[in-house]
Amino acid sequence: MPLSFVAEPDKRLLAAAVRHLSRERFAILRAAGLLAGVAGLFCWLVLDAGLGSLFLGLALGLFVGVGIVELAARQATRLGVQRVGRPTTYCFGPDGAGFSTELMRSELSWAAIRSTAELPGQVILGLVGGGFVTVPVGGLTDDQHAQLRALLSENVGRRAAAVLPPVARPAAAEPKTLGVRPPTP
């Protein structure tokens, strides 16, 4: 049974989705920041390099481990709000999922959705190409939410029903011979 509803993704939900989906990358940056801080501490304690090396290591560690992570999360959230921050109609049915606004319409087969993650107030659909779609579910009734969970659990990752035949391309035409340009007077 198809499910259709209208919701508007907001900045808070999108920020939570970005942080959730980027947690591995952010963990690497945080580890690099910690390593820079430890290197500064090592230089100060073991190599007796002075307080300057300690402060430099700690400052670099904070910048990499906290600053870059926050900047990246805020930038991704800002770009996401510009792209999807408007009322969206979400449709889920036996053939896949559809999303539409007054500016665009997109349809995905179930084979294009590789994973789901449920966060408070939203469901995140992970796509095959590495992208994602956030689906705000805070305004759904309990029955609609249960129906959406059932549709997703039954269909996500399902193989495509049929493989489309390759597109027929017209036969290549005879290459045109380019004429010789007359000499310039």
Side-chain angles (χ1 to χ4, degrees):
M1 179 175 192
L3 172 67
S4 181
F5 58 93
V6 176
E8 184 171 353
D10 68 351
K11 187 175 182 177
R12 181 185 55 80
L13 292 177
L14 195 57
V18 165
R19 291 183 186 282
H20 177 76
L21 294 170
S22 301
R23 63 186 181 275
E24 291 90 11
R25 291 184 202 108
F26 290 167
I28 291 170
L29 284 172
R30 287 186 178 112
L34 181 63
L35 186 62
V38 168
L41 185 64
F42 177 78
C43 288
W44 179 61
L45 289 176
V46 177
L47 301 179
D48 199 26
L51 284 176
S53 63
L54 174 65
F55 290 132
L56 180 64
L58 292 177
L60 183 63
L62 280 174
F63 177 71
V64 171
V66 177
I68 291 180
V69 169
E70 284 300 314
L71 288 173
R74 288 180 185 185
Q75 179 69 16
T77 301
R78 188 173 326 138
L79 290 173
V81 167
Q82 289 173 354
R83 290 185 187 133
V84 298
R86 55 184 39 109
T88 305
T89 302
Y90 297 91
C91 299
F92 296 90
D95 296 330
F99 319 100
S100 62
T101 67
E102 72 274 3
L103 301 177
M104 70 89 189
R105 181 176 41 205
S106 179
E107 293 184 8
L108 299 171
S109 70
W110 288 116
I113 302 172
R114 66 172 166 79
S115 65
T116 62
E118 208 166 325
L119 296 178
Q122 68 181 329
V123 173
I124 302 170
L125 305 177
L127 305 180
V128 169
F132 67 94
V133 175
T134 59
V135 181
V137 295
L140 297 181
T141 65
D142 289 340
D143 291 338
Q144 289 176 319
H145 200 217
Q147 185 181 1
L148 178 62
R149 279 186 183 143
L151 274 169
L152 293 175
S153 67
E154 291 171 9
N155 295 305
V156 168
R158 187 175 75 183
R159 293 193 183 268
V163 177
L164 297 175
V167 176
R169 297 179 187 228
E174 263 319 294
K176 293 182 181 180
T177 57
L178 299 176
V180 178
R181 193 174 113 189
T184 308

